[in-house]
Amino acid sequence: MSQPTLRGQRIVVIGGSSGIGLAVAEGALAEGARVVVASSRPETVETAVKHLGEGAAGAVVDCRDEASIATFFETTGAFDHLAYTAGDWGRAMGGQSVAKMDVASAKDGMAVRFWGALMAIKHAQGRISPTGSITLTDGVLAHRPMRGVPLSTAFGGAVEHLARGLAVDLAPLRVNAVCPGLVMSGATKGMPEAMVKGFTARCLIPRAGEPAEVAQAYLYLMRGAYTTGQVLIVDGGLMLT
């Protein structure tokens, strides 16, 4: 039996202009796929498409706006796999106690990672190949809570349960999630070394991950035609300590 490959398939990566999403797009292109990277900032989309080169296209989409999402997928047309890596976890990482929490701002923390993902799936699922897949993104705080950021745990758990529920609801279309540990991309690149060590000291692989390493999980879930409703944890072994 031949090995599964993404060659000739079309992949949409929302949040694909940087970090893990960009690494997913790079990995898919390396396997012979075509990719569409989408993000909310035109300049980052343009930069990403130039970086990715042949086989890549880009579009601007506002994941807080259902009309923008609907227009994006109408324009995109049919494709095989959706990877959703867009997020605004920083809004949930305020470090405030529950007693001092601004609930209105806290609600806003789910706007992109959860509600944006759900709206994207609503408008994408009819355009995805029946043998295709959707892969969502949460984070290891869903399983390893930290003091001061309870909402990150709650939001991550919500994404995982959404993936499981939709795997049942949309079958045979496959729906999974990737749960990364600390990854050196975006805002985390500016973290002090001592903070990074604090987050990763207990990992069996005692360092932060690289976007390309985590991207392999998404690529597997696209290829893995018998895998659905699963959460793939890529955390350097943190969950075992």
Side-chain angles (χ1 to χ4, degrees), residues 126-229:
R127 296 175 169 83
I128 301 175
S129 164
T131 58
S133 71
I134 297 167
T135 306
L136 304 180
T137 306
D138 67 298
V140 75
L141 288 176
H143 302 272
R144 296 294 294 268
M146 290 178 57
R147 186 178 296 277
V149 286
L151 292 183
S152 292
T153 296
F155 294 173
V159 171
E160 293 191 358
H161 287 289
L162 179 64
R164 293 187 180 102
L166 289 176
V168 174
D169 209 42
L170 300 180
L173 181 62
R174 297 180 297 106
V175 185
N176 298 286
V178 175
C179 179
L182 182 65
V183 180
M184 298 311 293
S185 65
T188 59
K189 285 185 176 181
M191 288 176 62
E193 185 177 352
M195 186 178 292
V196 173
K197 288 183 177 179
F199 276 115
T200 60
R202 294 181 60 186
C203 295
L204 299 179
I205 303 172
R207 61 173 176 82
E210 294 295 332
E213 295 173 317
V214 178
Q216 292 302 312
Y218 294 81
L219 299 175
Y220 162 72
L221 291 171
M222 293 176 195
R223 297 190 222 98
Y226 203 55
T227 302
T228 192

Side-chain angles (χ1 to χ4, degrees), residues 109-128:
M110 292 190 80
V112 173
R113 185 75 72 177
F114 184 84
W115 293 114
L118 187 57
M119 290 188 293
I121 293 166
K122 172 184 174 180
H123 292 281
Q125 50 91 23
R127 296 175 169 83
I128 301 175

Side-chain angles (χ1 to χ4, degrees), residues 36-112:
V36 178
V37 294
S39 185
S40 61
R41 297 170 57 192
E43 64 273 18
T44 61
V45 172
E46 182 179 356
T47 299
V49 171
K50 288 181 179 178
H51 168 78
L52 292 167
E54 186 177 356
V60 176
V61 61
D62 180 357
C63 291
R64 296 171 176 270
D65 180 359
E66 185 171 1
S68 176
I69 292 172
T71 299
F72 167 69
F73 283 110
E74 287 169 3
T75 304
T76 299
F79 60 101
D80 297 285
H81 304 281
L82 170 64
Y84 191 94
T85 65
D88 50 2
W89 286 128
R91 296 174 183 269
M93 295 289 287
Q96 291 185 336
S97 67
V98 173
K100 296 180 179 179
M101 186 178 295
D102 181 338
V103 176
S105 296
K107 289 179 180 179
D108 196 44
M110 292 190 80
V112 173

